[in-house]
Amino acid sequence: MTVYRGHVVHIAGAPQLPDADAALVSERDGALAVDAEGRIAYSGPWSGMPASLAADEVVHTDAYLLPGFVDTHVHYPQTFTTDAYGGGELLEWLEHCVFPAESRLADPAFADVVAREFVRRRVSAGTTAALVFGSAFPEAQDAMFSRTLDAGLRVVSGRGIQTVGPDSAAALLTSEDAAIGLAADEIQRWHGADAAGPASDPRRALAQVALVPRFSLSVTRETLGRLGDLYADVRGRGVYFHSHLNENDRPGDGEIAAVRALYDVDAYLDTYDGRCLPGSAASGESLLGRRSILAHAVHGTDRELHRLAETGSSIAHCPTSQLFLGSGTMPWRRTAASGVTIAMGTDVGAGDEWLIPRVLNDAYKVHMSEEGEAAVALGPAQLLFLGTLAGARALDQEDAFGNLDAGKDADFVIIDPAAQPGFAVSLEAAGAGGIRSELFTLLMGMREQAITGVFVRGRRVAAPDPA
Ligand SMILES: [Zn+2]
């Protein structure tokens, strides 16, 4: 048993977003006891720790102990593509910057360089769990899964599926048959790959797999139909579905207009919901469900939001990326009111920050800046909820991580204000106003350098050496 002594801060229990504030726990002289299996045996006041929990070691941190951050949308093959100038919005940026950059991962040696840096950035940012938009190339995916497991992080990922696209995407495209075959093969190779023993549950493994068509414009009705059939076969094993939705609404030739014109559907979401025939007529199996996460959902209709909520699907909210690509702002009040689970995504490389608190910082600002009565000041407990527990819920792994409740896996970060110049003084001043103002300053102001320890299942995560 190892006990970490410090300021324990988390969202306890399993609250809904509006109840996050009431669930905020702050123990200034707190203890987090981690057993030999990497589970949390106790979290709470240091003075209240049961004597029966004999500590082999006490780690005095003089720092904050928070749950690990959860990034529900990040692109591994775009690790080196942040701050790339595409001279336009989403579709221009994809064609001019992203497709050529992602094509470079066809070289396995370069892919391994990217995989190492990708894992390093995640460790630096304290992102213990991530839903990772993968590379088109199976060997690149192997490098990413291997490096991630070597480090000890959680990952859900799948190769980016594209069966149609512009010339600059040529290297990323496959035939319809290959798209399905490679996805099935990746599930076979990596879904639950680290799960121990024949009876172990892949849904609790560190490494899990998703079906990941880039978006409806990168595939066809045939691809979506066959992915639906495959998903019907594998969803019982906990395989995920992940893609983009309603990101760019430029009139005429933007993403949403193009999807609706190409498929002749009433709403973009219908293409993922087994309704991709003209008029949104039924075409096959739905890809929505408890392990389905759609990135962005900036411009959804009420019917789409209702359908996401009703199927238990989640939204990966990526305000940093939306600022970069001029995609607009997800309407906070309307989206939250639908009851859909909202979690946070960096969307690296359209997002240029790896640290989930930096994305929370942007979320606070963009929703504060919504028009008129739509404007909202997200509270500090809600921000913490969005960056931790909501992410675990979106990944349907809330029973395993997302907060520091006893019985969960010990996925946590040590945040030491002394490691970031000036930060301790800021936090001390904010703390005079109570834990909420202190937590707000912590989340809005922290940078990677303040993260001095990252743990998954109680084990300190080790970043690979730089390439
Ligand atoms: Zn994305």
Side-chain angles (χ1 to χ4, degrees), residues 62-97:
D62 203 19
Y64 298 93
L65 304 172
L66 261 64
F69 298 114
V70 182
D71 186 347
T72 57
H73 184 61
V74 55
H75 292 258
Y76 145 60
Q78 295 172 24
T79 293
F80 294 126
T81 321
T82 53
D83 307 307
Y85 175 65
E89 298 179 3
L90 172 67
L91 299 182
E92 293 77 34
W93 174 79
L94 284 173
E95 184 169 353
H96 297 129
C97 302

Side-chain angles (χ1 to χ4, degrees), residues 73-75 78 90 93 133 214 242-244 247 295-296 318 321 346-351:
H73 184 61
V74 55
H75 292 258
Q78 295 172 24
L90 172 67
W93 174 79
F133 213 103
R214 180 183 290 281
H242 186 43
S243 192
H244 295 99
E247 180 174 359
H296 300 295
C318 310
S321 159
T346 59
D347 198 17
V348 162

Side-chain angles (χ1 to χ4, degrees), residues 278-339:
S280 295
S283 55
E285 299 281 352
S286 176
L287 291 157
L288 305 182
R290 288 180 60 82
R291 291 197 160 200
S292 301
I293 296 96
L294 280 309
H296 300 295
V298 176
H299 306 286
T301 62
D302 285 343
R303 177 168 78 79
E304 288 173 292
L305 292 174
H306 173 75
R307 181 64 181 153
L308 287 171
E310 148 183 284
T311 56
S313 308
S314 301
I315 292 172
H317 180 32
C318 310
T320 307
S321 159
Q322 287 145 20
L323 286 166
F324 181 77
L325 290 175
S327 303
T329 299
M330 186 186 84
W332 181 265
R333 290 185 191 277
R334 188 161 72 83
T335 308
S338 75

Side-chain angles (χ1 to χ4, degrees), residues 2-323:
T2 304
V3 180
Y4 298 84
R5 188 171 180 179
H7 186 171
V8 172
V9 182
H10 70 122
I11 304 296
Q16 296 301 310
L17 176 68
D19 306 319
D21 189 71
L24 176 64
V25 167
S26 163
E27 292 292 349
R28 254 171 224 291
D29 187 12
L32 187 67
V34 180
D35 70 17
E37 277 74 53
R39 289 212 183 81
I40 299 170
Y42 171 83
S43 77
W46 170 260
S47 60
M49 195 166 62
S52 59
L53 294 177
D56 301 310
E57 185 188 5
V58 177
V59 179
H60 294 264
T61 67
D62 203 19
Y64 298 93
L65 304 172
L66 261 64
F69 298 114
V70 182
D71 186 347
T72 57
H73 184 61
V74 55
H75 292 258
Y76 145 60
Q78 295 172 24
T79 293
F80 294 126
T81 321
T82 53
D83 307 307
Y85 175 65
E89 298 179 3
L90 172 67
L91 299 182
E92 293 77 34
W93 174 79
L94 284 173
E95 184 169 353
H96 297 129
C97 302
V98 166
F99 294 151
E102 293 198 2
S103 298
R104 293 184 62 199
L105 277 75
D107 172 5
F110 180 67
D112 192 56
V113 171
V114 179
R116 286 158 73 165
E117 184 62 14
F118 177 74
V119 172
R120 285 174 52 77
R121 296 306 296 260
R122 279 192 53 196
V123 175
S124 298
T127 301
T128 49
L131 176 51
V132 176
F133 213 103
S135 167
F137 306 105
E139 280 185 85
Q141 284 295 92
D142 289 348
M144 187 276 298
F145 276 116
S146 298
R147 293 288 180 184
T148 301
L149 286 177
D150 286 350
L153 292 166
R154 295 181 193 272
V155 65
V156 177
S157 183
R159 73 173 288 272
I161 297 168
Q162 295 186 239
T163 51
V164 290
D167 289 347
S168 69
L172 307 174
L173 309 186
T174 68
S175 67
E176 301 284 356
D177 284 344
I180 303 304
L182 289 170
D185 186 55
E186 187 170 26
I187 293 166
Q188 190 67 30
R189 289 165 65 77
W190 289 109
H191 189 62
D194 60 296
S200 61
D201 187 348
R203 293 172 296 183
R204 289 295 305 268
L206 294 183
Q208 300 189 43
V209 171
L211 299 181
V212 186
R214 180 183 290 281
F215 62 163
S216 296
L217 296 178
S218 287
V219 292
T220 66
R221 284 199 181 96
E222 181 182 351
T223 325
L224 289 170
R226 292 177 65 179
L227 283 175
D229 292 339
L230 175 59
Y231 199 49
D233 286 344
V234 296
R235 68 160 75 215
R237 291 160 57 195
V239 172
Y240 291 77
F241 171 72
H242 186 43
S243 192
H244 295 99
L245 175 71
N246 285 331
E247 180 174 359
N248 179 284
D249 73 339
R250 188 169 64 199
D253 65 348
E255 176 211 21
I256 297 169
V259 169
R260 291 180 59 176
L262 184 67
Y263 288 89
D264 193 17
V265 288
D266 300 332
Y268 192 158
L269 183 66
D270 294 337
T271 60
Y272 301 135
D273 196 16
R275 312 182 71 85
C276 61
L277 289 170
S280 295
S283 55
E285 299 281 352
S286 176
L287 291 157
L288 305 182
R290 288 180 60 82
R291 291 197 160 200
S292 301
I293 296 96
L294 280 309
H296 300 295
V298 176
H299 306 286
T301 62
D302 285 343
R303 177 168 78 79
E304 288 173 292
L305 292 174
H306 173 75
R307 181 64 181 153
L308 287 171
E310 148 183 284
T311 56
S313 308
S314 301
I315 292 172
H317 180 32
C318 310
T320 307
S321 159
Q322 287 145 20
L323 286 166

